[in-house]
Coordinates of all heavy atoms in Angstrom, one line a residue:
Y1 N -22.8 5.5 9.2 CA -22.9 7.0 9.3 C -21.6 7.7 9.2 O -21.4 8.7 8.6 CB -23.7 7.4 10.5 CG -23.8 8.9 10.7 CD1 -24.6 9.6 9.9 CD2 -23.1 9.6 11.7 CE1 -24.8 11.0 10.0 CE2 -23.2 10.9 11.8 CZ -24.0 11.7 11.0 OH -24.1 13.0 11.1
K2 N -20.6 7.1 9.9 CA -19.3 7.8 10.0 C -18.7 7.9 8.6 O -18.1 8.9 8.3 CB -18.4 7.0 11.0 CG -17.0 7.5 11.0 CD -16.8 8.6 11.9 CE -15.3 9.0 12.1 NZ -14.9 10.3 11.6
S3 N -18.7 6.8 7.8 CA -18.0 6.9 6.5 C -18.8 7.8 5.6 O -18.3 8.3 4.6 CB -18.0 5.5 5.9 OG -19.3 5.0 5.7
E4 N -20.1 8.0 5.9 CA -20.9 9.0 5.1 C -20.3 10.4 5.2 O -20.3 11.1 4.2 CB -22.3 9.0 5.7 CG -23.4 8.9 4.6 CD -24.7 8.8 5.2 OE1 -25.1 7.7 5.5 OE2 -25.3 9.8 5.4
I5 N -19.9 10.7 6.4 CA -19.3 12.1 6.6 C -17.8 12.1 6.4 O -17.2 13.2 6.4 CB -19.7 12.7 8.0 CG1 -19.2 11.8 9.1 CG2 -21.2 12.9 8.0 CD1 -19.2 12.4 10.5
D6 N -17.1 11.0 6.3 CA -15.7 11.0 6.1 C -15.3 11.0 4.6 O -15.1 10.0 4.0 CB -15.1 9.7 6.7 CG -13.6 9.8 6.9 OD1 -13.0 10.6 6.3 OD2 -13.0 9.0 7.7
V7 N -15.4 12.2 4.1 CA -15.2 12.5 2.6 C -13.8 12.1 2.3 O -13.6 11.5 1.2 CB -15.4 14.0 2.3 CG1 -15.0 14.3 0.8 CG2 -16.9 14.4 2.6
I8 N -12.8 12.3 3.1 CA -11.4 12.0 2.8 C -11.2 10.5 2.7 O -10.5 9.9 1.7 CB -10.4 12.6 3.8 CG1 -10.5 14.2 3.6 CG2 -9.0 12.1 3.6 CD1 -9.8 15.0 4.6
Q9 N -11.9 9.7 3.6 CA -11.8 8.2 3.5 C -12.4 7.7 2.2 O -11.9 6.9 1.5 CB -12.4 7.6 4.7 CG -12.1 6.1 4.8 CD -10.7 5.7 4.8 OE1 -9.9 6.2 5.7 NE2 -10.2 4.9 3.9
T10 N -13.6 8.3 1.9 CA -14.2 8.0 0.6 C -13.3 8.2 -0.5 O -13.2 7.4 -1.5 CB -15.6 8.7 0.5 OG1 -16.4 8.5 1.7 CG2 -16.3 8.3 -0.7
F11 N -12.7 9.4 -0.6 CA -11.8 9.7 -1.7 C -10.6 8.7 -1.7 O -10.3 8.2 -2.7 CB -11.2 11.1 -1.4 CG -9.9 11.4 -2.1 CD1 -9.9 11.6 -3.5 CD2 -8.7 11.4 -1.5 CE1 -8.7 11.8 -4.2 CE2 -7.5 11.6 -2.1 CZ -7.5 11.8 -3.4
L12 N -10.0 8.4 -0.5 CA -8.9 7.4 -0.6 C -9.3 6.1 -1.1 O -8.6 5.4 -1.8 CB -8.3 7.3 0.9 CG -7.6 8.5 1.4 CD1 -7.3 8.3 2.9 CD2 -6.4 8.9 0.7
D13 N -10.5 5.6 -0.6 CA -11.0 4.3 -1.0 C -11.2 4.2 -2.5 O -10.9 3.2 -3.2 CB -12.3 4.0 -0.3 CG -12.1 3.7 1.2 OD1 -10.9 3.5 1.6 OD2 -13.1 3.7 1.9
E14 N -11.8 5.3 -3.1 CA -12.1 5.3 -4.5 C -10.9 5.6 -5.5 O -10.8 5.0 -6.5 CB -13.3 6.4 -4.7 CG -13.7 6.4 -6.1 CD -14.9 7.3 -6.3 OE1 -15.8 7.4 -5.4 OE2 -15.0 8.0 -7.3
C15 N -10.1 6.5 -5.0 CA -9.0 7.1 -6.0 C -7.7 6.6 -5.7 O -6.8 6.8 -6.6 CB -9.1 8.6 -5.9 SG -10.7 9.3 -6.3
C16 N -7.4 6.0 -4.6 CA -6.0 5.7 -4.3 C -5.8 4.3 -3.9 O -6.7 3.5 -3.6 CB -5.5 6.6 -3.1 SG -5.7 8.3 -3.5
E17 N -4.6 3.8 -3.9 CA -4.2 2.5 -3.4 C -2.8 2.6 -2.7 O -2.0 3.3 -3.2 CB -4.3 1.5 -4.5 CG -3.3 1.8 -5.7 CD -3.6 1.0 -7.0 OE1 -4.5 0.0 -6.9 OE2 -3.0 1.2 -8.0
I18 N -2.8 1.8 -1.7 CA -1.5 1.7 -1.0 C -0.8 0.5 -1.5 O -1.4 -0.6 -1.5 CB -1.6 1.6 0.5 CG1 -2.2 2.9 1.0 CG2 -0.3 1.3 1.2 CD1 -2.7 3.0 2.4
I19 N 0.4 0.6 -2.0 CA 1.0 -0.6 -2.7 C 2.3 -0.8 -1.9 O 2.9 0.0 -1.2 CB 1.3 -0.4 -4.2 CG1 2.0 0.9 -4.5 CG2 0.0 -0.3 -5.0 CD1 2.3 1.3 -5.9
T20 N 2.8 -2.0 -2.1 CA 3.9 -2.5 -1.2 C 5.3 -1.9 -1.7 O 6.2 -1.8 -0.9 CB 4.1 -4.1 -1.2 OG1 4.1 -4.5 -2.5 CG2 2.9 -4.6 -0.4
I21 N 5.4 -1.6 -3.0 CA 6.6 -1.1 -3.5 C 6.8 0.4 -3.0 O 5.9 1.1 -2.6 CB 6.8 -1.1 -5.0 CG1 5.7 -0.3 -5.7 CG2 6.8 -2.6 -5.5 CD1 5.9 -0.1 -7.1
E22 N 8.0 0.9 -3.1 CA 8.3 2.3 -2.7 C 7.6 3.2 -3.8 O 8.3 3.4 -4.9 CB 9.8 2.6 -2.6 CG 10.5 2.0 -1.4 CD 10.1 2.8 -0.2 OE1 10.3 4.0 -0.1 OE2 9.6 2.2 0.8
Y23 N 6.5 3.7 -3.5 CA 5.9 4.7 -4.4 C 5.3 5.8 -3.7 O 4.5 5.6 -2.7 CB 4.7 3.9 -5.2 CG 4.2 4.7 -6.3 CD1 4.6 4.5 -7.6 CD2 3.3 5.7 -6.2 CE1 4.2 5.3 -8.7 CE2 2.8 6.5 -7.2 CZ 3.3 6.3 -8.5 OH 2.9 7.0 -9.5
W24 N 5.7 7.0 -4.0 CA 5.4 8.2 -3.3 C 4.7 9.2 -4.2 O 5.1 9.4 -5.4 CB 6.6 8.9 -2.7 CG 7.3 7.9 -1.7 CD1 8.2 7.0 -2.0 CD2 7.1 7.9 -0.3 NE1 8.5 6.3 -0.9 CE2 7.9 6.9 0.2 CE3 6.3 8.7 0.6 CZ2 8.0 6.6 1.6 CZ3 6.4 8.3 2.0 CH2 7.2 7.4 2.4
T25 N 3.6 9.8 -3.8 CA 2.9 10.8 -4.5 C 3.1 12.2 -3.8 O 2.9 12.2 -2.6 CB 1.4 10.5 -4.6 OG1 1.2 9.2 -5.2 CG2 0.6 11.5 -5.3
G26 N 3.4 13.2 -4.6 CA 3.6 14.5 -4.0 C 2.3 15.0 -3.3 O 1.2 14.7 -3.7
A27 N 2.5 15.7 -2.1 CA 1.4 16.2 -1.3 C 0.5 17.1 -2.1 O -0.7 17.0 -2.1 CB 1.9 16.8 -0.1
T28 N 1.1 18.0 -3.0 CA 0.2 18.9 -3.8 C -0.5 18.2 -4.8 O -1.7 18.5 -5.0 CB 1.1 20.0 -4.4 OG1 1.9 20.7 -3.4 CG2 0.4 21.0 -5.2
E29 N 0.1 17.2 -5.5 CA -0.6 16.4 -6.5 C -1.8 15.6 -5.9 O -2.8 15.6 -6.5 CB 0.4 15.4 -7.1 CG 1.4 15.9 -8.1 CD 2.2 14.9 -8.7 OE1 2.4 13.8 -8.0 OE2 2.7 15.0 -9.8
L30 N -1.5 15.0 -4.7 CA -2.6 14.3 -4.0 C -3.7 15.2 -3.7 O -4.9 14.9 -3.8 CB -2.0 13.6 -2.8 CG -3.0 12.6 -2.2 CD1 -3.3 11.5 -3.1 CD2 -2.2 12.0 -0.9
Y31 N -3.4 16.4 -3.2 CA -4.4 17.3 -2.8 C -5.2 17.8 -4.1 O -6.5 17.9 -4.0 CB -3.8 18.6 -2.0 CG -4.9 19.5 -1.5 CD1 -5.8 19.2 -0.5 CD2 -5.1 20.8 -2.1 CE1 -6.8 20.0 -0.1 CE2 -6.1 21.6 -1.7 CZ -6.9 21.2 -0.7 OH -7.9 22.1 -0.2
N32 N -4.5 18.0 -5.1 CA -5.2 18.4 -6.4 C -6.2 17.3 -6.8 O -7.3 17.6 -7.3 CB -4.2 18.6 -7.6 CG -3.5 20.0 -7.4 OD1 -3.9 20.8 -6.7 ND2 -2.4 20.1 -8.2
V33 N -5.8 16.1 -6.7 CA -6.7 15.0 -7.1 C -7.9 15.0 -6.3 O -9.0 14.9 -6.7 CB -6.0 13.6 -6.9 CG1 -7.0 12.4 -7.2 CG2 -4.8 13.4 -7.9
Y34 N -7.7 15.2 -4.9 CA -8.8 15.2 -4.0 C -9.7 16.4 -4.3 O -11.0 16.2 -4.3 CB -8.3 15.4 -2.5 CG -9.3 15.9 -1.5 CD1 -10.4 15.1 -1.2 CD2 -9.2 17.2 -1.0 CE1 -11.3 15.6 -0.3 CE2 -10.1 17.6 -0.1 CZ -11.2 16.8 0.2 OH -12.2 17.4 1.1
V35 N -9.3 17.6 -4.5 CA -10.1 18.8 -4.8 C -10.9 18.5 -6.1 O -12.1 18.7 -6.1 CB -9.2 20.0 -4.9 CG1 -10.0 21.2 -5.5 CG2 -8.7 20.4 -3.6
N36 N -10.2 18.0 -7.2 CA -10.9 17.8 -8.4 C -12.0 16.7 -8.3 O -13.1 16.8 -8.8 CB -9.9 17.5 -9.5 CG -9.2 18.7 -9.9 OD1 -9.7 19.8 -10.0 ND2 -7.9 18.7 -10.1
W37 N -11.7 15.6 -7.6 CA -12.6 14.5 -7.3 C -13.8 15.1 -6.5 O -15.0 14.8 -6.8 CB -11.9 13.4 -6.5 CG -12.8 12.4 -6.0 CD1 -13.3 11.3 -6.7 CD2 -13.4 12.3 -4.7 NE1 -14.1 10.6 -5.9 CE2 -14.2 11.1 -4.7 CE3 -13.4 13.1 -3.5 CZ2 -15.0 10.8 -3.6 CZ3 -14.1 12.7 -2.5 CH2 -14.9 11.6 -2.5
A38 N -13.5 15.9 -5.5 CA -14.6 16.5 -4.6 C -15.5 17.4 -5.4 O -16.7 17.4 -5.3 CB -14.0 17.2 -3.4
R39 N -14.9 18.2 -6.3 CA -15.7 19.1 -7.2 C -16.7 18.2 -8.0 O -17.9 18.6 -8.2 CB -14.8 20.0 -8.0 CG -14.2 21.1 -7.2 CD -13.4 22.0 -8.2 NE -12.8 23.1 -7.5 CZ -11.6 23.6 -7.7 NH1 -10.9 23.2 -8.7 NH2 -11.2 24.6 -7.0
I40 N -16.1 17.3 -8.7 CA -16.9 16.4 -9.6 C -18.1 15.8 -8.9 O -19.1 15.5 -9.4 CB -16.0 15.4 -10.4 CG1 -15.1 16.3 -11.4 CG2 -16.7 14.3 -11.1 CD1 -13.9 15.5 -11.9
N41 N -17.8 15.3 -7.7 CA -18.7 14.5 -6.9 C -19.6 15.4 -5.9 O -20.2 14.8 -5.1 CB -18.0 13.4 -6.1 CG -17.5 12.4 -7.1 OD1 -18.3 11.5 -7.6 ND2 -16.2 12.4 -7.4
N42 N -19.5 16.7 -6.0 CA -20.2 17.6 -5.1 C -20.0 17.3 -3.6 O -20.8 17.3 -2.9 CB -21.7 17.6 -5.5 CG -21.9 18.2 -6.8 OD1 -21.4 19.2 -7.2 ND2 -22.8 17.4 -7.6
E43 N -18.7 17.0 -3.3 CA -18.4 16.8 -1.9 C -17.6 17.9 -1.3 O -17.2 18.8 -2.0 CB -17.3 15.5 -1.8 CG -17.9 14.2 -2.3 CD -18.8 13.6 -1.3 OE1 -19.2 14.2 -0.3 OE2 -19.3 12.5 -1.6
Y44 N -17.6 18.0 0.0 CA -17.0 19.1 0.7 C -15.5 19.1 0.5 O -14.9 18.1 0.5 CB -17.3 19.0 2.3 CG -16.7 20.1 3.0 CD1 -17.3 21.3 3.1 CD2 -15.5 19.9 3.7 CE1 -16.8 22.4 3.8 CE2 -15.0 21.0 4.4 CZ -15.6 22.2 4.5 OH -15.0 23.2 5.2
I45 N -15.0 20.3 0.3 CA -13.5 20.4 0.1 C -12.9 20.9 1.3 O -13.1 22.1 1.6 CB -13.2 21.3 -1.2 CG1 -13.8 20.7 -2.5 CG2 -11.7 21.5 -1.4 CD1 -13.8 21.5 -3.7
H46 N -12.1 20.1 1.9 CA -11.3 20.5 3.1 C -10.1 21.3 2.7 O -9.6 21.2 1.6 CB -10.8 19.3 3.9 CG -11.8 18.5 4.5 ND1 -12.5 18.9 5.7 CD2 -12.5 17.4 4.2 CE1 -13.5 18.1 6.0 NE2 -13.4 17.1 5.2
S47 N -9.6 22.2 3.6 CA -8.4 22.9 3.3 C -7.2 21.9 3.2 O -7.3 20.8 3.6 CB -8.1 23.9 4.4 OG -7.8 23.2 5.6
S48 N -6.1 22.3 2.5 CA -5.0 21.4 2.3 C -4.4 21.1 3.7 O -3.9 20.0 3.9 CB -3.9 22.1 1.5 OG -3.5 23.3 1.9
K49 N -4.5 22.0 4.6 CA -4.0 21.8 6.0 C -4.8 20.7 6.7 O -4.2 19.7 7.2 CB -4.0 23.0 6.8 CG -3.3 22.9 8.2 CD -3.2 24.2 8.9 CE -2.6 24.1 10.2 NZ -2.3 25.3 10.9
K50 N -6.1 20.8 6.6 CA -7.0 19.7 7.2 C -6.8 18.4 6.5 O -6.8 17.4 7.1 CB -8.4 20.2 7.1 CG -9.5 19.3 7.5 CD -9.6 19.1 8.9 CE -10.8 18.2 9.3 NZ -10.8 17.7 10.7
F51 N -6.7 18.4 5.2 CA -6.5 17.2 4.4 C -5.2 16.5 4.8 O -5.3 15.3 5.1 CB -6.4 17.6 2.9 CG -6.2 16.5 2.0 CD1 -7.3 15.6 1.7 CD2 -5.0 16.2 1.3 CE1 -7.1 14.5 0.8 CE2 -4.8 15.2 0.5 CZ -5.8 14.3 0.2
G52 N -4.1 17.2 5.0 CA -2.9 16.6 5.4 C -3.0 16.1 6.8 O -2.5 15.0 7.1
A53 N -3.7 16.8 7.7 CA -3.9 16.3 9.1 C -4.6 15.1 9.2 O -4.3 14.1 9.9 CB -4.5 17.4 9.9
E54 N -5.7 15.0 8.3 CA -6.5 13.8 8.2 C -5.8 12.5 7.7 O -5.9 11.4 8.2 CB -7.7 14.0 7.4 CG -8.8 14.9 8.0 CD -9.4 14.2 9.3 OE1 -9.8 13.0 9.3 OE2 -9.4 14.9 10.3
L55 N -4.9 12.8 6.7 CA -4.1 11.7 6.2 C -3.1 11.2 7.2 O -3.0 9.9 7.4 CB -3.3 12.2 4.9 CG -4.1 12.6 3.7 CD1 -3.2 13.0 2.6 CD2 -5.0 11.5 3.3
T56 N -2.6 12.1 8.0 CA -1.7 11.7 9.2 C -2.5 11.0 10.2 O -2.0 9.9 10.7 CB -1.0 13.0 9.7 OG1 -0.2 13.6 8.7 CG2 -0.1 12.6 10.9
K57 N -3.6 11.4 10.5 CA -4.5 10.8 11.5 C -4.9 9.3 11.1 O -5.0 8.4 11.9 CB -5.8 11.5 11.7 CG -6.4 11.5 13.1 CD -7.7 12.0 13.2 CE -7.7 13.6 13.0 NZ -9.1 14.1 13.3
K58 N -5.0 9.1 9.7 CA -5.3 7.8 9.2 C -4.1 6.9 9.0 O -4.2 5.8 8.6 CB -6.0 8.0 7.8 CG -7.4 8.7 7.9 CD -7.9 8.9 6.6 CE -9.2 9.7 6.7 NZ -10.3 9.1 7.6
G59 N -2.9 7.4 9.5 CA -1.7 6.6 9.4 C -1.0 6.5 8.1 O -0.1 5.7 7.9
L60 N -1.3 7.5 7.2 CA -0.7 7.4 6.0 C 0.8 7.9 6.1 O 1.0 9.0 6.7 CB -1.4 8.3 5.0 CG -1.2 8.0 3.5 CD1 -1.6 6.6 3.1 CD2 -2.1 9.0 2.7
E61 N 1.7 7.2 5.6 CA 3.2 7.6 5.7 C 3.5 8.7 4.9 O 3.2 8.8 3.7 CB 4.1 6.4 5.4 CG 5.5 6.6 5.8 CD 6.4 5.4 5.4 OE1 5.9 4.3 5.2 OE2 7.7 5.5 5.4
K62 N 4.2 9.7 5.5 CA 4.6 11.0 4.9 C 6.0 11.1 5.1 O 6.6 10.9 6.1 CB 3.8 12.1 5.5 CG 4.1 13.5 4.9 CD 3.3 14.6 5.7 CE 3.7 15.9 5.2 NZ 2.9 16.9 6.0
K63 N 6.7 11.6 4.0 CA 8.2 11.8 4.0 C 8.5 13.1 3.3 O 7.9 13.4 2.3 CB 8.9 10.6 3.4 CG 10.3 10.4 3.7 CD 11.0 9.3 2.9 CE 11.0 8.0 3.6 NZ 11.7 7.0 2.9
R64 N 9.6 13.8 3.8 CA 10.0 15.0 3.2 C 11.2 14.5 2.2 O 12.1 13.9 2.5 CB 10.6 16.0 4.2 CG 11.0 17.3 3.5 CD 11.5 18.3 4.5 NE 10.4 18.7 5.4 CZ 9.5 19.8 5.0 NH1 9.6 20.3 3.8 NH2 8.6 20.1 5.8
F65 N 11.0 14.9 0.9 CA 12.0 14.7 -0.1 C 12.6 16.1 -0.5 O 12.0 17.1 -0.1 CB 11.4 14.0 -1.3 CG 11.0 12.6 -1.1 CD1 9.8 12.3 -0.5 CD2 11.9 11.6 -1.5 CE1 9.5 10.9 -0.3 CE2 11.5 10.3 -1.3 CZ 10.3 9.9 -0.7
M66 N 13.7 16.1 -1.3 CA 14.2 17.4 -1.7 C 13.2 18.3 -2.5 O 13.3 19.5 -2.5 CB 15.5 17.1 -2.5 CG 16.6 16.7 -1.6 SD 18.1 16.4 -2.6 CE 18.6 18.1 -3.0
D67 N 12.3 17.6 -3.2 CA 11.3 18.2 -4.0 C 10.0 18.4 -3.3 O 8.9 18.7 -4.0 CB 11.2 17.6 -5.4 CG 10.8 16.2 -5.3 OD1 10.8 15.6 -4.3 OD2 10.3 15.7 -6.4
G68 N 9.9 18.2 -2.0 CA 8.7 18.4 -1.2 C 8.2 17.2 -0.5 O 8.8 16.1 -0.6
N69 N 7.1 17.4 0.2 CA 6.5 16.3 1.0 C 5.8 15.4 0.1 O 5.2 15.8 -0.9 CB 5.5 16.8 2.0 CG 6.2 17.6 3.2 OD1 7.3 17.3 3.5 ND2 5.6 18.6 3.6
K70 N 5.8 14.0 0.4 CA 5.2 13.0 -0.3 C 4.5 12.0 0.6 O 5.0 11.8 1.7 CB 6.1 12.4 -1.3 CG 6.7 13.3 -2.3 CD 7.5 12.6 -3.3 CE 8.1 13.7 -4.3 NZ 8.7 13.0 -5.5
Y71 N 3.4 11.4 0.1 CA 2.8 10.3 0.8 C 3.0 9.0 0.1 O 3.0 9.0 -1.1 CB 1.3 10.6 1.0 CG 0.9 11.8 1.8 CD1 0.7 13.0 1.3 CD2 0.8 11.6 3.2 CE1 0.5 14.1 2.1 CE2 0.5 12.7 3.9 CZ 0.3 13.9 3.4 OH 0.0 15.0 4.3
K72 N 3.1 7.9 1.0 CA 3.3 6.6 0.4 C 1.9 6.1 0.0 O 1.3 5.3 0.7 CB 3.9 5.7 1.4 CG 4.5 4.4 0.8 CD 5.3 3.6 1.7 CE 5.9 2.4 1.0 NZ 6.7 1.6 1.8
I73 N 1.5 6.5 -1.2 CA 0.2 6.1 -1.8 C 0.3 6.3 -3.2 O 1.0 7.2 -3.7 CB -1.0 6.8 -1.1 CG1 -2.2 6.1 -1.3 CG2 -0.9 8.3 -1.5 CD1 -3.4 6.6 -0.4
R74 N -0.5 5.6 -4.0 CA -0.5 5.8 -5.4 C -2.0 6.2 -5.8 O -3.0 5.6 -5.4 CB -0.2 4.5 -6.1 CG 0.0 4.6 -7.6 CD 0.6 3.3 -8.3 NE -0.5 2.5 -8.7 CZ -1.2 2.6 -9.8 NH1 -1.0 3.6 -10.5 NH2 -2.1 1.7 -10.1
V75 N -2.1 7.1 -6.7 CA -3.4 7.5 -7.3 C -3.7 6.5 -8.4 O -2.8 6.2 -9.2 CB -3.3 8.9 -7.8 CG1 -4.6 9.2 -8.6 CG2 -3.0 9.9 -6.8
R76 N -4.9 5.9 -8.3 CA -5.3 4.9 -9.3 C -5.2 5.5 -10.8 O -5.4 6.7 -11.0 CB -6.7 4.5 -9.1 CG -6.9 3.7 -7.8 CD -8.3 3.2 -7.6 NE -8.6 2.8 -6.2 CZ -8.2 1.6 -5.7 NH1 -7.5 0.7 -6.5 NH2 -8.5 1.3 -4.5
T77 N -4.8 4.7 -11.7 CA -4.6 5.2 -13.1 C -5.8 6.0 -13.6 O -5.5 7.1 -14.2 CB -4.4 4.0 -14.0 OG1 -3.4 3.1 -13.5 CG2 -4.0 4.4 -15.4
E78 N -7.0 5.6 -13.4 CA -8.1 6.4 -13.9 C -8.3 7.8 -13.3 O -9.1 8.6 -13.8 CB -9.4 5.5 -13.8 CG -9.8 5.2 -12.4 CD -9.3 3.8 -12.0 OE1 -8.1 3.4 -12.4 OE2 -10.0 3.2 -11.2
Y79 N -7.6 8.1 -12.3 CA -7.7 9.4 -11.6 C -6.4 10.2 -11.8 O -6.3 11.3 -11.3 CB -8.0 9.2 -10.1 CG -9.3 8.6 -9.9 CD1 -9.5 7.3 -9.6 CD2 -10.5 9.5 -10.0 CE1 -10.8 6.8 -9.4 CE2 -11.8 8.9 -9.8 CZ -11.9 7.6 -9.6 OH -13.2 7.1 -9.4
Q80 N -5.4 9.7 -12.6 CA -4.2 10.4 -12.8 C -4.4 11.8 -13.3 O -3.7 12.8 -12.9 CB -3.2 9.6 -13.7 CG -2.7 8.4 -13.1 CD -1.7 8.6 -12.0 OE1 -0.9 9.6 -12.1 NE2 -1.6 7.8 -11.0
E81 N -5.3 12.0 -14.2 CA -5.6 13.3 -14.8 C -6.1 14.3 -13.8 O -5.9 15.5 -14.0 CB -6.5 13.2 -16.0 CG -7.9 12.8 -15.6 CD -8.8 12.6 -16.7 OE1 -8.4 12.2 -17.8 OE2 -10.1 12.8 -16.6
Y82 N -6.6 13.9 -12.7 CA -7.0 14.8 -11.6 C -5.9 15.5 -11.0 O -6.1 16.4 -10.2 CB -7.8 14.1 -10.5 CG -9.2 13.5 -10.9 CD1 -9.5 13.2 -12.3 CD2 -10.2 13.5 -10.0 CE1 -10.8 12.8 -12.6 CE2 -11.5 13.0 -10.4 CZ -11.8 12.7 -11.6 OH -13.0 12.3 -12.0
K83 N -4.6 15.1 -11.2 CA -3.4 15.7 -10.6 C -3.3 17.1 -11.1 O -2.7 17.9 -10.5 CB -2.2 14.9 -10.9 CG -2.1 13.7 -10.1 CD -0.7 13.0 -10.4 CE -0.5 11.7 -9.7 NZ 0.7 11.0 -10.1
L84 N -3.8 17.4 -12.3 CA -3.7 18.7 -12.9 C -4.5 19.6 -12.1 O -5.6 19.3 -11.5 CB -4.3 18.6 -14.4 CG -3.6 17.6 -15.3 CD1 -4.4 17.6 -16.6 CD2 -2.2 17.9 -15.5
N85 N -4.0 20.8 -12.0 CA -4.7 21.9 -11.1 C -5.7 22.5 -12.0 O -5.5 23.6 -12.6 CB -3.8 22.9 -10.5 CG -4.4 23.7 -9.5 OD1 -5.5 23.6 -9.2 ND2 -3.6 24.7 -8.9
F86 N -6.9 21.9 -12.2 CA -8.0 22.5 -13.0 C -8.4 23.8 -12.6 O -8.4 24.2 -11.5 CB -9.2 21.5 -13.0 CG -9.0 20.1 -13.5 CD1 -9.9 19.1 -13.1 CD2 -8.0 19.8 -14.4 CE1 -9.7 17.8 -13.6 CE2 -7.8 18.6 -14.9 CZ -8.7 17.6 -14.5
K87 N -8.8 24.6 -13.6 CA -9.3 26.0 -13.3 C -10.8 25.9 -13.6 O -11.2 25.5 -14.6 CB -8.6 27.0 -14.2 CG -7.1 27.0 -14.2 CD -6.6 27.8 -13.0 CE -5.1 28.0 -13.0 NZ -4.4 27.2 -12.0
Y88 N -11.5 26.4 -12.6 CA -12.9 26.4 -12.7 C -13.4 27.9 -12.6 O -12.9 28.7 -12.0 CB -13.6 25.7 -11.5 CG -13.5 24.2 -11.8 CD1 -12.4 23.4 -11.1 CD2 -14.3 23.4 -12.7 CE1 -12.3 22.1 -11.3 CE2 -14.1 22.1 -12.8 CZ -13.2 21.4 -12.2 OH -13.0 20.0 -12.3

């Protein structure tokens, strides 16, 4: 039941992978992937603030770079196009 309501965990399991090499995805890009995935799958869309808080709660490593915050996670190849900020 818990995973049923944990949309963010479902998103991470389906669209992302944590890899051992140093690979960082921009926070905005990752949020765009989540929003587009959620729209396509008719899932609830959390605010970017709630999304970030949930990633932190799940132990996802976050670091501030000169070009913004990034998470140590990789978006799976088949979801790369979701990084675009689609207009609906």
Side-chain angles (χ1 to χ4, degrees):
Y1 176 73
K2 175 80 173 115
S3 65
E4 227 175 272
I5 59 168
D6 194 345
V7 175
I8 294 173
Q9 187 61 54
T10 303
F11 161 73
L12 292 173
D13 292 345
E14 187 176 318
C15 300
C16 302
E17 56 192 358
I18 296 172
I19 53 179
T20 53
I21 60 165
E22 285 286 307
Y23 192 96
W24 298 84
T25 300
T28 302
E29 283 182 336
L30 190 58
Y31 184 68
N32 283 347
V33 174
Y34 161 69
V35 168
N36 289 315
W37 171 85
R39 282 183 179 144
I40 288 164
N41 291 286
N42 295 314
E43 295 284 3
Y44 181 78
I45 299 172
H46 292 283
S47 69
S48 58
K49 187 174 181 174
K50 171 74 172 168
F51 180 73
E54 286 297 311
L55 295 182
T56 300
K57 210 189 297 185
K58 292 175 185 307
L60 205 57
E61 191 179 345
K62 179 181 173 182
K63 198 188 268 187
R64 182 179 293 279
F65 289 82
M66 289 182 68
D67 59 345
N69 290 326
K70 296 187 179 189
Y71 290 95
K72 193 171 183 181
I73 196 164
R74 188 174 89 76
V75 174
R76 294 184 195 280
T77 307
E78 59 269 33
Y79 294 98
Q80 288 290 325
E81 66 187 27
Y82 287 30
K83 286 182 182 177
L84 305 172
N85 193 2
F86 296 158
K87 303 280 187 253
Y88 287 98

